[in-house]
Amino acid sequence: MEDPKIPYRYLGNSGLKVSAICLGTMTFGQDGSRPGCDEASSHALLDRFILELGGNFIDTSDVYQFGVSESIIGRWMEKHPSLRSKIILATKVWGPMDKNDVNARGLSRHHIITEVEQSLSRLRTDYIDLYQIHCWDTGTPLEETLGALNTLVQTGKVHYIGVSNVTGWQFQKIIDLSRAMGLTKIVSNQAQYNLLCRSTEWELLEVCKIEGVAMLPWSPLKGGLLTGKYKRGESPSSDSNSRLAWVEKDKATRANQASPSLSDYADNEQYWELIEAMKTIATVHDATVSQVAIAWLLAQPTVSSVVIGARTVEQLDENIGSATLTLSKEELETLNAKSRVPPPYPYEMVTRLQRGREH
């Protein structure tokens, strides 16, 4: 890891540096519910990302295949103990980990304290670099959640705290209450953000700007919709192992924000115009449409690292290529225009009335 091929960036206003590409591991482990990687393939991805390309940022969650993803990472870590201090390991807590235990979910002190020990055991490490709440929890007082997370930092089991999948007002309340209580500050927000999900900019990105928090986009390719591999009127092959094909096989129960449906965009003219613009830009740079999508994210304010998922080394290498792809101002403006979604009230009105008031 002496000569990284992936540039490093600070994680928000913290002193921690992470690779501009973060290896997301939701694909690690095969439970039959969706396309994934077996352990050998997962370890090959970690070898390539960390040992050969110089990446240092890995993201997982306790709920990914009910701990299997964390366990696969832990067994790889055990084979490379000297690398532990060089790797920034992130995981999350919230999801249901025992269907027969009503307390094995959410953000109560009980679940957080219990589950961090399980994550540490599966990851075969003494500490977690970035511990993130995986969603807001309506059932638990925020003071209880933040107090529990602060305890983990004080005991050294966690080094930094982040959030994921929260609304704008929830995000700001978390930050404000942490500050008022004198607790560990929030350093990152992992949220869906891509050229087909621009609503993240309306509040979440603005809070990140104001508070110095890192934005960590997940689903940069919108589940495959931003790869440019599909043509108008074409459906993913029924025997394909892609996520889009998996969704289409049972769209009624599988389609959601994390797993979108290609057929939902079949008649969306703006989508197809965006893809054509991305193809044109990719040709200029001798790049791929996927690389253009990720490079656009890396050019956005407060983005410290983009969380990518891969099932093969080839997919990983393609995504890594975006880290050194620089788009021109004109190209960025073209992508912004082609993907822009008219903001609803009050965002449109507030933004319009602020013109000329910027510092």
Side-chain angles (χ1 to χ4, degrees), residues 289-309:
V289 173
S290 297
Q291 289 172 337
V292 170
I294 298 172
W296 176 84
L297 279 170
L298 288 169
Q300 303 310 307
T302 81
V303 171
S304 293
S305 183
V306 175
V307 183
I308 60 101

Side-chain angles (χ1 to χ4, degrees), residues 12 19 24 27 37 48 83-84 102 121 134 136 146 166 170 239 275 281 325 335 348 353:
S19 48
T27 59
C37 306
R48 178 65 174 157
L83 294 181
R84 179 62 190 97
V102 296
S121 177
H134 211 159
W136 178 265
L146 295 176
V166 295
Q170 291 167 352
D239 60 353
I275 294 297
I281 293 171
L325 172 59
L335 295 175
E348 182 279 331
L353 295 180

